């Protein structure tokens, strides 16, 4: 008579297979999270672009939140107030993923660049201009488009 059940080897193989599957799932999940966070930046910048076009049609120039934007510039609150008429379109909480800022290009109110800097000050960021030029700065190099 043989006892019914699994041997130690069979259990170890099953646990190893489950470990491999879990590791693959964790890597895929990390990529999913990064993509969702980046989507927050690109959606915010696209909203800024559209609101800027409306602002220009009403006032004859683009809105500027700062003369010069830096990675620590977080103007989400003033952008929400002045460009989105008080609607909270950009996350302005302390646990936000991005700092948003809008600057005129070359000091001219007829051009702008909006920036979404990672709030962790990694140095990476996304931009959009009044010409709808979309770029990403990551690992010290530029990529056209998002």
């Amino acid at each position: 008579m043989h006892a019914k059940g699994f041997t130690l080897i069979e259990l170890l193989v099953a646990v190893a297979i489950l470990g491999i599957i879990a590791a693959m799932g964790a890597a895929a999940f990390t990529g999913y999270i990064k993509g969702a966070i980046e989507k927050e930046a690109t959606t915010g910048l696209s909203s800024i672009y559209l609101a800027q076009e409306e602002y220009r049609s009403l006032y004859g120039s683009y809105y500027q939140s700062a003369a010069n934007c830096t990675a620590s510039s977080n103007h989400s609150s003033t952008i929400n107030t002045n460009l989105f008429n008080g609607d909270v379109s950009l996350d302005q909480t302390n646990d936000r993923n991005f700092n948003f800022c809008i600057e005129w290009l070359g000091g001219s109110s007829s051009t702008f660049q909006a920036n979404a800097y990672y709030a962790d000050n990694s140095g990476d960021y996304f931009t959009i201009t009044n010409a709808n030029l979309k770029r990403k700065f990551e690992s010290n190099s530029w990529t056209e488009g998002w």
Side-chain angles (χ1 to χ4, degrees):
M1 257 197 215
H2 295 323
K4 295 189 179 198
F6 297 104
T7 67
L8 182 58
I9 299 294
E10 291 171 328
L11 288 174
L12 288 175
V13 168
V15 168
I17 291 171
L18 287 174
I20 292 168
I21 292 170
M24 290 177 3
F29 185 71
T30 301
Y32 172 76
I33 294 295
K34 183 179 182 201
I37 289 172
E38 288 183 354
K39 195 64 163 167
E40 177 186 346
T42 59
T43 300
L45 290 173
S46 294
S47 296
I48 288 172
Y49 173 80
L50 294 172
Q52 282 282 59
E53 291 305 320
E54 181 179 358
Y55 189 93
R56 185 176 64 93
S57 71
L58 293 172
Y59 302 107
S61 65
Y62 289 113
Y63 171 75
Q64 173 181 259
S65 69
N68 293 303
C69 294
T70 64
S72 60
S73 301
N74 180 35
H75 299 143
S76 298
S77 179
T78 57
I79 294 169
N80 284 333
T81 299
N82 297 314
L83 198 57
F84 295 115
N85 299 316
D87 292 337
V88 181
S89 297
L90 305 175
D91 185 3
Q92 54 194 45
T93 63
N94 288 335
D95 60 344
R96 68 192 173 279
N97 294 310
F98 293 94
N99 294 331
F100 288 90
C101 184
I102 304 170
E103 59 190 334
W104 291 336
L105 294 175
S108 170
S109 64
S110 63
T111 61
F112 78 89
Q113 177 172 298
N115 305 307
Y117 299 95
Y118 280 94
D120 65 5
N121 289 320
S122 66
D124 298 341
Y125 61 103
F126 298 84
T127 67
I128 193 168
T129 68
N130 58 287
N132 203 20
L133 173 65
K134 302 170 183 175
R135 298 183 349 164
K136 179 180 179 182
F137 186 78
E138 184 175 41
S139 302
N140 293 318
S141 66
W142 284 104
T143 304
E144 297 297 321
W146 299 327

